[in-house]
């Protein structure tokens, strides 16, 4: 047992030395994400806008159930920019909003119909906003709701109260100014997350950080293939270390590398981006939550990198397999294109990407003001993905070395 532990420590130290010698691999892991973060954060500073050809998904809670509340729901349904999903109570609304089911929610409080009929009192309508929603999207959603409210209120006043014919009422209704309708807007999240305005850096830093950590496959492939060429695995097998132990010996060095990567990229977003004229990244209130999601993400990335490295027969093959897989994970996982602007089918498919799980975990801390409990689902999913990848890699290792 003692000799096995000494062999494992020696293997981990050897791996750390090899990693430090791979200057090109280290440059890719640190310089690439830093450059992406700087470029995308600055380039998207004023361009985080919703594609107007798409739709804004939102949750609707109707607690009034009166005539005008139903009329408002019908008016909202006629707006092509909105996609509605009804909920039964406020607790469900808040839970689904925090879980990322939609970036917006609308609550129609009891008494809306009486307020509109009173003609002069502000309607009882409350907007709930996720801090992950871009500012332009929030403005568009609020404008759509105000427009629907103005239409319902103006139609009642013009047709029912003033007896204006329907055709003339339509013309007059179009002149109603929706901006006069003051709606209550509430961010869902911690106070700091509610105060901080979503910006390009909050999309770019977590996204490209997650993407870069999965590129640990490059130095891992170099390490595994070098050992294969030199017969290192066969010699280490004489120390009675199994395939799982041999691969586990690579975890400590690359885990430390990933943690350093994670910390430095957050520092780039928090300090370097604003120094160059961009908006700063708020780091949330849960360092332990950040560490947990970083650890789960690192284990998933390293294990997947080990799987690719073990399965590949050459450095070119490992680079191709790892690069293509990471690009696919990033494309569907919300790294390259924010999930909010994806079509609904594409946004639903993003749950297939481990990068999407990691990105949501980072947002739980950085945007939604969450803590350890909030990142547990994403951390568990990443850990399970890592465990499956590591197990398959350990089973493949003896066959590839034969």
């Amino acid at each position: 047992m003692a000799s096995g532990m000494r062999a494992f420590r020696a293997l981990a130290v050897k791996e750390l030395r090899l990693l430090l010698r791979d200057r090109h691999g280290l440059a890719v892991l640190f310089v690439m994400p830093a450059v992406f973060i700087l470029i995308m954060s600055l380039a998207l500073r004023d361009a985080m806008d919703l594609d107007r050809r798409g739709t804004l998904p939102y949750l609707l809670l109707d607690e009034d159930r009166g005539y005008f509340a139903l009329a408002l729901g019908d008016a909202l349904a006629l707006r092509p920019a909105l996609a509605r999903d009804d909920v039964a109570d406020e607790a469900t609304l808040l839970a689904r909003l925090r879980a990322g089911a939609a970036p917006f929610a609308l609550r129609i409080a009891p008494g809306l119909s009486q307020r509109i009929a009173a003609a002069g009192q502000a309607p009882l309508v409350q907007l709930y906003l996720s801090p992950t929603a871009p500012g332009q999207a929030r403005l568009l959603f609020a404008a759509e709701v105000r427009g629907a409210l103005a239409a319902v209120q103006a139609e009642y006043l013009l047709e029912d109260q003033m007896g204006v014919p329907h055709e003339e009422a339509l013309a007059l209704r179009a002149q109603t100014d929706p901006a006069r309708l003051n709606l209550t807007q509430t961010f869902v999240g911690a106070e700091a997350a509610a105060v901080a305005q979503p910006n390009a850096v909050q999309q770019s830093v977590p996204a490209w950080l997650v993407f870069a950590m999965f590129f640990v496959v490059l130095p891992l492939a170099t390490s595994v293939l070098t050992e294969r060429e030199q017969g290192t695995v066969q010699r280490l097998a004489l120390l009675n270390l199994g395939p799982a132990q041999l691969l586990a010996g690579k975890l400590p060095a690359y885990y430390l590398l990933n943690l350093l990567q994670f910390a430095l990229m957050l520092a780039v977003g928090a300090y370097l981006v604003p120094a160059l004229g961009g908006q700063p990244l708020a780091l949330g209130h849960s360092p332990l939550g950040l560490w947990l999601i970083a650890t789960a993400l690192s284990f998933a990335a390293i294990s997947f990198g080990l799987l690719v490295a073990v399965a590949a027969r050459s450095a070119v093959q490992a680079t191709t397999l790892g690069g293509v897989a990471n690009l696919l994970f990033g494309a569907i996982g919300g790294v390259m294109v924010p999930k909010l602007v994806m079509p609904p089918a594409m946004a639903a498919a993003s749950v297939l990407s481990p990068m999407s799980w990691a990105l949501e975990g980072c947002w739980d801390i950085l945007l939604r003001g969450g803590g350890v409990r909030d990142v547990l689902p994403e951390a568990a999913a990443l850990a399970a993905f890592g465990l499956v990848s590591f197990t398959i890699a350990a089973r493949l290792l003896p066959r590839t070395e034969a």
Side-chain angles (χ1 to χ4, degrees):
M1 182 70 177
S3 61
M5 287 300 298
R6 286 196 297 271
F8 180 81
R9 286 197 297 269
L11 183 60
V13 171
K14 180 268 304 178
E15 197 63 40
L16 182 58
R17 290 175 178 171
L18 289 175
L19 175 61
L20 293 176
R21 292 175 187 171
D22 188 5
R23 297 180 180 178
H24 293 91
L26 291 174
V28 169
L29 292 174
F30 286 94
V31 176
M32 181 207 47
V35 171
F36 268 120
I37 287 171
L38 289 173
I39 292 175
M40 300 305 293
S41 296
L42 297 175
L44 296 176
R45 180 176 54 188
D46 300 319
M48 285 292 288
D49 195 2
L50 180 75
D51 185 352
R52 300 301 178 92
R53 295 169 296 179
T55 57
L56 288 166
Y58 75 101
L59 307 174
L60 177 64
L61 171 61
D62 183 0
E63 295 179 331
D64 181 76
R65 304 302 300 173
Y67 171 79
F68 293 106
L70 297 176
L72 176 59
D74 293 339
L76 290 170
L78 294 176
R79 295 185 172 262
L82 302 181
R84 164 180 160 186
D85 188 6
D86 293 322
V87 295
D89 52 65
E90 189 172 10
T92 302
L93 181 146
L94 295 176
R96 293 190 61 188
L97 197 62
R98 290 192 180 98
F104 311 105
L106 186 64
R107 173 177 172 264
I108 302 176
L112 172 73
S113 298
Q114 290 85 346
R115 287 283 184 113
I116 290 182
Q121 299 187 50
L124 297 174
V125 178
Q126 185 171 14
L127 305 184
Y128 290 92
L129 309 171
S130 169
T132 60
Q136 293 297 325
R138 297 201 313 269
L139 293 176
L140 177 59
F141 179 71
E144 293 284 345
V145 173
R146 286 193 178 95
L149 265 174
V152 172
Q153 201 166 20
E155 184 173 358
Y156 170 74
L157 292 174
L158 293 171
E159 294 187 35
D160 295 351
Q161 296 297 306
M162 301 175 62
V164 177
H166 182 69
E167 292 75 12
E168 296 180 24
L170 290 177
L172 292 172
R173 189 177 68 183
Q175 302 175 15
T176 303
D177 184 8
R180 295 180 179 178
L181 296 172
N182 295 320
L183 305 178
T184 303
Q185 299 190 26
T186 304
F187 281 93
V188 175
E191 291 183 2
V195 173
Q197 296 298 309
N199 50 55
V201 73
Q202 291 172 325
Q203 164 68 29
S204 299
V205 173
W208 293 111
L209 170 57
V210 169
F211 187 69
M213 286 179 69
F214 267 86
F215 268 88
V216 75
V217 64
L218 300 181
L220 269 173
T222 300
S223 172
V224 171
L225 292 170
T226 299
E227 290 177 349
R228 182 181 298 169
E229 293 173 359
Q230 297 175 350
T232 305
V233 174
Q234 290 85 346
R235 292 195 297 272
L236 289 171
L238 299 176
L239 299 174
N240 295 321
L241 293 176
Q245 292 172 297
L246 293 175
L247 293 180
K250 300 182 181 297
L251 293 176
Y254 288 94
Y255 172 64
L256 293 176
L257 171 69
N258 280 158
L259 286 188
L260 181 60
Q261 216 181 352
F262 195 89
L264 287 181
M265 295 309 109
L266 289 182
V268 168
Y271 302 108
L272 184 55
V273 170
L276 296 177
Q279 295 166 302
L281 176 71
L283 298 181
H285 301 283
S286 179
L288 186 59
L290 283 175
W291 170 82
L292 179 60
I293 197 66
T295 297
L297 170 59
S298 176
F299 178 61
I302 295 171
S303 297
F304 180 72
L306 286 172
L307 175 58
V308 172
V310 168
R313 289 292 181 178
S314 65
V316 173
Q317 192 178 67
T319 301
T320 302
L321 289 174
V324 169
N326 285 343
L327 287 173
L328 289 175
F329 286 157
I332 68 174
V335 169
M336 299 175 182
V337 179
K339 285 186 282 186
L340 181 65
V341 303
M342 290 181 178
M346 188 68 185
S350 67
V351 299
L352 301 176
S353 170
M355 290 189 186
S356 175
W357 314 336
L359 189 55
E360 288 293 336
C362 291
W363 279 344
D364 284 340
I365 304 297
L366 301 177
L367 292 183
R368 300 177 183 127
V372 173
R373 293 182 59 183
D374 298 286
V375 301
L376 286 178
E378 293 90 355
L382 288 167
F385 174 82
L387 184 60
V388 171
S389 299
F390 185 88
T391 301
I392 297 175
R395 290 182 178 275
L396 288 178
L397 184 60
R399 300 179 186 179
T400 58
E401 301 298 332

